[in-house]
Amino acid sequence: AGLLYYERRRVQPLIDLRFFRSAPFSGATVIAVCAFASLSGFLFLNTLYLQNVRGLSALHAGLWMLPMAAMTLVFAPLSGRLVGSRGPRPSLLCAGAAMAASGLVFAVFDGESHVPLLFTGYVLFGVGFGLVNAPITNTAVSGMPRSQAGVAAAVA
């Protein structure tokens, strides 16, 4: 609220609030906030789970989450190609489905006894997070004039 109050009165605002009148830009920003909040929560809660419930060291907890990082690494460039050839919608739909399926796996399974299910949840989350970045940037930039594309991509 303070940023909005301050920025409206500036001659050269940090973020031009008129950007948020663009539906693609606003939607991409909301999706970006949700995706990165999911990543933050995922990393925080899973490190606590792996260390406190499973009794792993910090190193071993990090190694257990490597499938998520590996899938993000693999699917991020594939998402860019998919966005370039078919637009952002298929990539966003697959990302949402993968992240929702990951959440469902984590909500339903008995984590102390089903290691393959835990691994599956990490893989699904990594796939979803890898797929979400390219369409966010593409969608945010597509709703802006060319002169403001860099600012729009940075905000999203």
Side-chain angles (χ1 to χ4, degrees), residues 11-108:
V11 176
Q12 294 180 333
L14 177 66
I15 301 171
D16 191 353
L17 298 178
R18 292 177 294 168
F19 285 2
F20 292 97
R21 292 183 186 148
S22 165
F25 177 78
S26 295
T29 303
V30 168
I31 292 169
V33 167
C34 291
F36 282 93
S38 297
L39 177 67
S40 299
F42 174 85
L43 293 174
F44 177 70
L45 291 174
N46 275 292
T47 54
L48 289 177
Y49 166 74
L50 291 171
Q51 290 179 26
N52 294 338
V53 175
R54 288 197 170 256
L56 299 176
S57 68
L59 174 64
H60 287 112
L63 292 174
W64 270 64
M65 288 194 294
L66 275 179
M68 185 272 302
M71 291 299 103
T72 301
L73 180 74
V74 168
F75 279 87
L78 296 176
S79 177
R81 289 190 193 117
L82 184 61
V83 168
S85 65
R86 296 218 162 81
R89 186 169 297 197
S91 190
L92 281 174
L93 289 172
C94 291
M99 290 176 95
S102 172
L104 186 63
V105 165
F106 288 130
V108 172

Side-chain angles (χ1 to χ4, degrees), residues 8-9 38 57 62 64-65 72-73 87-88 103 113 116 125 128 133 138 140 147 149-150:
R8 271 192 271 169
R9 287 155 178 68
S38 297
S57 68
W64 270 64
M65 288 194 294
T72 301
L73 180 74
S113 61
F125 191 88
N133 286 317
N138 178 276
S147 62

